[in-house]
Amino acid sequence: MTAGNVCAFTIQQCNPSICQVRIDFLTLTLAQPNAHGSCIYDSMNIIGGATNIPPICGENSGLHLYVDFNGNSNIRIVISTSSDASVPKAWKLKIAQIACDCPTRAHMYEALARKRFYGLSPSGCLMHYTDLSGTVRSFNYGTTVSSYLLPNGQPGTRQLANTNYGICVEMVAGYCGIQWSQSSDIYSFTVSGDTSTAVGQGIIGTPASFASGADCTTDFIVVPNPLVNGVPTRTDRFCGNGLPTLTTYSKPFVLTTVTNGDELPDSGNRGFALSYTQLRCTNIIVVVNDPVSTDVLGRNEFYQVIDVIKKLNIMDTMPVSTDVLGRNEFYQVIDVIKKLNIMDTIHDLIIKNIEKYVCNTVVVECWMCIAGANSEAENFQNFHKAMVTLYNYYLLLSNIFNNLELLCVTLKYRSTTYYQNSTDALKVIFRSALLSQLPLDYKKSVRHFYEVGLKYEENRGRESLDELCSNCSSNNCICAQYFYEANSILLELGLLEPLASQILTTTIYDYIENHVETTCKDRFDASFLAPLQKWLEDVIIKWLRKIYTCDYSNKEINKFNKKLQNFMYEIYTKVRINQLFGIIIEYPDSISALQDLKTCLSKTDLRPYLTRKLQKSMETRLLHTGVSTPDILTAYVATIRSMRVLDPSGLLLGAITQPIHQYLRSRDDTVRCVVSSLTEEGPSDLADELIKGEALQTDENTPSDDEEINWENWLPDPVDADPNKPLAHNRRTSDIISMLVNVYGSRELFVNEYRTLLADRLLTSLTCDTEREIRYLELLKLRFGDAQLHYCEVMLKDIVDSKRITQNIKQDLSSSGESDIPISSMILSAQFWPAFKEEKCELHQSVDEQMKKYTACFETLKGNRTLYWKKHLGLVDLDIELPDRTMNLYSVTPIHATIILHFQDKSQWHLDELSKIMQVPPTVLRRKIGFWESQYLISQVSPDIFQLVEVSVKGNLNVPHEIIVEDESESAMASTQDQREEELQTFWSYVTGMLMNLDSLPLERIHQVLKMFAFQGPTTECSLQELKHFLDRKVREHQLVYSNGYYKLPKS
Amino acid sequence: MKVIIKNWTGVATWKWIANDDNCGICRMPFDGCCPDCKLPGDDCPLVWGECSHCFHMHCIMKWLQSQQVNQQCPMCRQEWKFNNK
């Protein structure tokens, strides 16, 4: 570009999010302004932005400026040059656009280091620096004079006229102040006045040549609220030809420079180049402690100030004396402070010093006390010591604070920067210092402290005071005193809440838990709710009241009390729930525990927990193979009874007994056990239940009237009830026997089982008490109804009748004189008895004959009726006379009797021989003979040869080891399984008929057809599974062929 | 050795001596009882007709009462006469 031309750039916003442009003058060399300071030769104008920027000329390389965009209009840089080509002109600009949301500081340091982009400059700052220290320059400052001379021959000015801009320094974190000073060049602050004169007088660059305040009217800089040598200057504008070092703590750090429209009266001004350094926040003390200049203050006054400060006890080390100042001195001091207006500084200084002292000394010392303790007692002592140490310091420091407060009040000074309320200030300082340096194990320490306190409190109620304290193990226990002392310190310093309340709460919780657990461990026979409540009130709440003394209103304590009660209930409930299985087993001794639990359940929401827990313990302790069925039943009955106490609605019962039901269903002998416990005096007292119970209601839904009568006692269903299932039904079935019967869900099964058991009992014991059986039968009838038990009635009548008949026949027989074997019999109506186990057995001839006689008698007694003997059944009483002894045997089975009778005839038998005569299979017979072997009456002399032993030679007798004693409890009745088999057999003809006509059929189809034609009545129902078993057995027996899922008859 | 049987209690079932198992009228077993009765045996006896058919007494009586004209055996349609053997 040739001289005299204009060069113009246009900066367009790259996008609407751009707010600012930073223009770096990498090189900007233009002609110097004229003597008036105006850029009339060369000039750079930046226009179109929101920032007003003076025309710039002269040497400005290395400077920068920020321009705000005005909306979205472009910014233009217009550089116009004079035609004077002898003046060098050069420019190289770097332009960066800055987005509006670009951070001003923070991670900008890093970005700046890479010189990639810049942060926004705060508005009003034409230049913006971010370093900790550096140099700022006014436009066109230079180390040489301007080449243009004034009319008087003096050198012209370099300072540009008509400027008013801010130079900002970004405050770095941790830095509170900034210090401005001239750079090394003595001309580095030549802003107004005649510079050459100052040079001539030799005072350039010294404080002697600077002016301030009202003296600065034309060109000056402004630094807000500066201090010179730590003393406020009372002015903020500076001009002239020298600048003292200025320190300011006013934020933001800004230096404003102002020049008027004409620089002519001044000569040789160059502007300024000032070094700045940001000051660390703590430097304030150094500033005051290290006064260099006493220019502003009088020398005496200054020392007075120092004296004051010393008397106020705020120096780094803790002074010994804490005397309040003497009256005279005090007023003297106040005068000085007033005069110097340094209350602000002093106040800050004192607070700062105290903070530092508390942080570095007091707190460290306090926490040191706690460290390293192991035992509870040690911790207790240490914590107390720590608190006392803390409090002593607090008292010491509060003296200073009182002085300060007095000072403030007298001077009517009100600090804005620190604490609003100076009485709390010290506490706040202590609190924040303590909490900011919490040691790792303070919790343990605090916890131990309160535990000891609590223990002591509880023991106080129990033992006399002179007894040994468990903590300090001294006769003269001062633990309580210690405790309350430390506690009141915590309270006074406001530390109780932040430091201890949480730990206190958990300590109390743990303590309650512990207490509850130890109190009601394994004791179910007493109610603990009232004692526990009393304990809580007497020990814990009382203690809490003491701890909080006046701090807490009664309302707060009550609130806490409620919370603790709730917690105690919850713990107690949990403890009881965990013991619930034991409680149930011990019912009814544990009734008070159950009552407690009931009360608790209504206050807590632990029902689901109870259900889960109890089910679990049932599973682990009851419902496994190791427990016999009667035991399970006993537990089950106890459960039902306990649950009735616990929850009259029956809902819990339903949930808890579900698994037991399921399990009982999977056991074969459940029904048998239920029935036998119903009719016998057992541990489960079911018989009693039977006596008091009313009619069984298994599947009736008719609501009873008593609900309407007792409407006042009505309670809503519990919240966890399923609204789809009416509860009335559940309530009804909580009758124990109904529930037991409902385990299987069918009365028939029950009645059948009862019939079998009854038959067994009647046939195996002659002494059977029919009176009692009839009574039970009547009771059962009440529940199961007449129809179901009709058969049993007939059975009992048979027994009674046969006694009478036997009596008759015996008379007949004895009158005819042939009664070598007295025979009696039980004459049964076969149709009404359960099926008998069929065993073939021929009795001894003599007995047989006698039986025939008996039959004949019967036939004459009851016309047209005869008897069929079940020869293997019955009981025989016999005496065996041996040469050396007589054996009396009662209730021997007919087979046994027959065997011994045969041996009476012939003393040695071969097994096969005997088997043939008795028509009993040899294996069975061998088993039966075993009985006599065990009586030492028969011995096996060689394989399968048995010999009667008339004279027992005990000791010498070679008793065979493997005497097989048959198990006694053999039922006379066919097992239910056999009976079932029998029933299924009736279907066989249907099946063969079907297969003959249709060749082959799948299982499902056979079942379907049977369902249609063969299954009539509920008992003859047969499940698919059962049918499959049946058919498969037939396949094994080669009566059926099974292939590809089809059954067919084998081809014959 | 001498075995003295002091008492032998046997178990026996009684049975009607009849030429059939079930009553021809109620189809229930003779050894059971007719539908109106609860107890078998003495309380629900059998009767024989001259035609040698036998029934529960209660059953045949009911039958006979329901016959207005001729009193016949329901099995063989012969005139019903009780066999008093």
Side-chain angles (χ1 to χ4, degrees), chain A residues 790 822 862 864-865 868 870, chain B residues 6 9 11 13 17 38 42:
Chain A
H790 172 216
K862 306 270 175 188
N864 286 331
R865 274 187 270 173
Y868 287 88
K870 303 275 170 196
Chain B
K6 288 195 291 195
T9 307
V11 175
T13 56
I17 307 168
K38 292 253 167 194
D42 294 341

Side-chain angles (χ1 to χ4, degrees), chain A residues 909-924:
Chain A
W909 286 90
H910 190 269
L911 191 66
D912 293 340
E913 198 183 349
L914 193 59
S915 157
K916 211 178 263 172
I917 288 181
M918 287 180 67
Q919 302 203 327
V920 175
T923 47
V924 179

Side-chain angles (χ1 to χ4, degrees), chain B residues 16 18-35 44-49 51-64 72-77 80:
Chain B
W16 289 100
N19 49 8
D20 201 354
D21 281 342
N22 296 330
C23 167
I25 296 172
C26 68
R27 304 304 300 159
M28 298 296 269
F30 284 136
D31 303 335
C33 49
C34 77
C44 189
L46 298 195
V47 286
W48 278 261
C51 55
S52 89
H53 287 119
C54 72
F55 303 100
H56 285 125
M57 184 180 79
H58 300 125
C59 295
I60 192 67
M61 290 310 285
K62 227 196 244 173
W63 164 258
L64 292 175
Q72 293 171 334
C73 168
M75 302 294 269
C76 60
R77 294 288 158 186
W80 177 265

Side-chain angles (χ1 to χ4, degrees), chain A residues 676-732:
Chain A
S676 57
S677 59
L678 269 179
T679 50
E680 285 156 27
E681 311 282 346
S684 56
D685 304 330
L686 275 180
D688 296 347
E689 194 72 22
L690 184 67
I691 288 162
K692 70 182 176 199
E694 78 282 354
L696 181 66
Q697 306 193 331
T698 38
D699 34 26
E700 283 168 52
N701 283 325
T702 45
S704 70
D705 294 337
D706 60 282
E707 257 170 48
E708 276 151 44
I709 293 163
N710 291 332
W711 59 272
E712 273 176 314
N713 298 331
W714 180 86
L715 280 172
D717 290 343
V719 278
D720 44 346
D722 186 351
N724 295 325
K725 290 182 196 157
L727 264 177
H729 186 63
N730 281 346
R731 280 196 198 117
R732 205 173 289 285

Side-chain angles (χ1 to χ4, degrees), chain A residues 261-435:
Chain A
D262 191 357
E263 296 293 309
L264 191 56
D266 308 336
S267 72
N269 288 176
R270 298 181 184 180
F272 57 84
L274 298 177
S275 301
Y276 70 89
T277 310
Q278 298 200 30
L279 301 175
R280 278 204 169 274
C281 293
T282 48
N283 279 4
I284 185 163
I285 292 165
V286 177
V287 171
V288 180
N289 274 348
D290 187 23
V292 179
S293 154
T294 49
D295 284 351
V296 181
L297 295 177
R299 200 160 249 291
N300 281 342
E301 283 169 327
F302 182 80
Y303 283 112
Q304 264 174 332
V305 172
I306 296 296
D307 240 22
V308 168
I309 292 172
K310 270 191 182 142
K311 273 176 184 157
L312 285 174
N313 289 332
I314 54 169
M315 287 310 148
D316 275 349
T317 47
M318 204 56 205
V320 188
S321 146
T322 53
D323 292 342
V324 184
L325 296 175
R327 214 170 195 353
N328 283 341
E329 275 173 317
F330 184 70
Y331 284 110
Q332 232 176 337
V333 166
I334 286 173
D335 273 351
V336 175
I337 293 173
K338 231 183 208 164
K339 205 151 135 204
L340 295 177
N341 193 18
I342 54 164
M343 186 56 209
D344 211 359
T345 319
I346 288 183
H347 187 266
D348 287 2
L349 194 58
I350 293 172
I351 299 266
K352 278 253 145 86
N353 254 332
I354 289 179
E355 275 176 358
K356 205 160 115 189
Y357 182 70
V358 169
C359 256
N360 295 345
T361 316
V362 179
V363 171
V364 171
E365 200 173 315
C366 167
W367 287 141
M368 278 278 278
C369 294
I370 287 180
N374 295 319
S375 69
E376 215 172 64
E378 229 175 306
N379 263 322
F380 177 82
Q381 305 273 2
N382 287 350
F383 191 76
H384 171 256
K385 201 168 129 205
M387 285 304 119
V388 170
T389 315
L390 195 68
Y391 195 62
N392 285 338
Y393 277 117
Y394 174 77
L395 287 179
L396 222 58
L397 289 173
S398 64
N399 269 336
I400 298 174
F401 247 77
N402 287 340
N403 288 347
L404 185 67
E405 183 68 14
L406 202 62
L407 207 63
C408 286
V409 171
T410 326
L411 285 168
K412 295 195 179 65
Y413 171 81
R414 229 184 138 66
S415 164
T416 47
T417 40
Y418 288 94
Y419 309 99
Q420 292 301 317
N421 184 353
S422 69
T423 46
D424 282 345
L426 190 58
K427 289 180 188 173
V428 173
I429 291 172
F430 264 75
R431 266 208 297 276
S432 52
L434 270 174
L435 295 179

